Amino acid sequence: GEDVVRLRWGTGTSLRDVPGTRQQAVQSSGCHAFWYCSKECQRKHWKAHKVDCGRAKELQEMTPKKLLTEIENREREFNVVTDIVRAHRATSSCKTIWVTRGGEMLREDLDDARELPGIKDQLESYGSKPEKHQQDTINTLFSAAEGVSRAKSQAYFEEVKSLKEHLEGLARKDEEEGTSTVIKCGG
C-alpha cells in the first residue's frame, strides 16, 4: 500500500497527511524528522526549522541534569518574556504586543480563543464591517490567544513539577555515583 507521510505542504507552514511514497518527498538531511513535499517547501520552512534541526540527536539522548535544565530554562524564559511585555505595556502607548506560544500551538491557541464566550460574540460583531474593525479584531483575538497560551503554559509548568522532582533525584544519584543516566526523548 501507499505510505502516508507527514509533510510540510505548500507554504511550509501547515502539516497535511499526503498519500505518497517517501521517494516523492524530501527529508530534512539534518534531523530526519521532517518530510517536505518539495525542495521549495523545504527551503521556505528552513528559517523556522533550523533552530531545532541540529538539536534532534541531542534531544533524543538527554541526561536528567540536561533535561531538567532545559525545562527550567523554558519556564524562566517564559516568565522573563512575560515580564518584559507587561513592563512595555505599562510604559508604552503601543499596547499591540502579545506573548503567545509559537508554531502549531499558536494556531491551536487562536482557534481556542475564537471559541471563548464573549470573544466569539465580539469577533462576530466585528465581522459585519471587517475593514472598519480590522485592528479591533486583531487586538481582541491576540489578547485572547495570549490568555489561552499563558493558561496552557502555566498548566504545563505545573504538570511537569513532579517530573522535575524525579529528574532532580536522578541527577543527584548520577552525581553521587559517578554515572550518567540517558533519557530517550522522542525518536
Side-chain angles (χ1 to χ4, degrees), residues 85-103:
V85 170
R86 281 187 180 148
H88 172 82
R89 286 184 185 143
T91 60
S92 174
S93 60
C94 176
K95 308 296 184 196
T96 55
I97 180 171
W98 303 278
V99 178
T100 63
R101 301 182 310 161

Side-chain angles (χ1 to χ4, degrees), residues 15-121:
L15 285 170
R16 305 254 195 277
D17 285 326
V18 179
T21 65
R22 293 194 188 278
Q23 289 78 24
Q24 294 171 311
V26 179
Q27 186 178 28
S28 169
S29 59
C31 69
H32 306 286
F34 283 86
W35 289 84
Y36 300 90
C37 58
S38 68
K39 281 280 189 194
E40 179 186 352
C41 187
Q42 182 182 25
R43 195 171 44 255
K44 286 179 182 179
H45 184 238
W46 176 244
K47 187 175 181 180
H49 179 61
K50 69 181 176 181
V51 175
D52 290 323
C53 183
R55 296 193 67 210
K57 183 165 177 55
E58 173 192 351
L59 293 172
Q60 289 175 1
E61 296 183 358
M62 297 279 275
T63 65
K65 186 175 181 176
K66 285 182 187 176
L67 184 54
L68 180 61
T69 300
E70 184 86 18
I71 293 169
E72 289 173 340
N73 284 343
R74 287 183 184 204
E75 187 170 8
R76 188 174 15 266
E77 289 167 3
F78 170 79
N79 289 322
V80 166
V81 169
T82 299
D83 290 344
I84 289 169
V85 170
R86 281 187 180 148
H88 172 82
R89 286 184 185 143
T91 60
S92 174
S93 60
C94 176
K95 308 296 184 196
T96 55
I97 180 171
W98 303 278
V99 178
T100 63
R101 301 182 310 161
E104 292 298 316
M105 291 182 290
L106 172 58
R107 187 179 324 264
E108 174 187 306
D109 294 348
L110 286 167
D111 289 344
D112 291 347
R114 282 184 186 95
E115 297 302 318
L116 290 172
I119 300 299
K120 186 175 185 174
D121 296 337

Side-chain angles (χ1 to χ4, degrees), residues 63-66 68 164-179 181 183:
T63 65
K65 186 175 181 176
K66 285 182 187 176
L68 180 61
K164 285 170 55 176
E165 290 171 6
H166 183 67
L167 291 171
E168 287 169 352
L170 289 173
R172 195 171 30 257
K173 182 179 175 189
D174 278 352
E175 194 171 308
E176 291 168 358
E177 296 178 3
T179 58
T181 303
I183 300 171

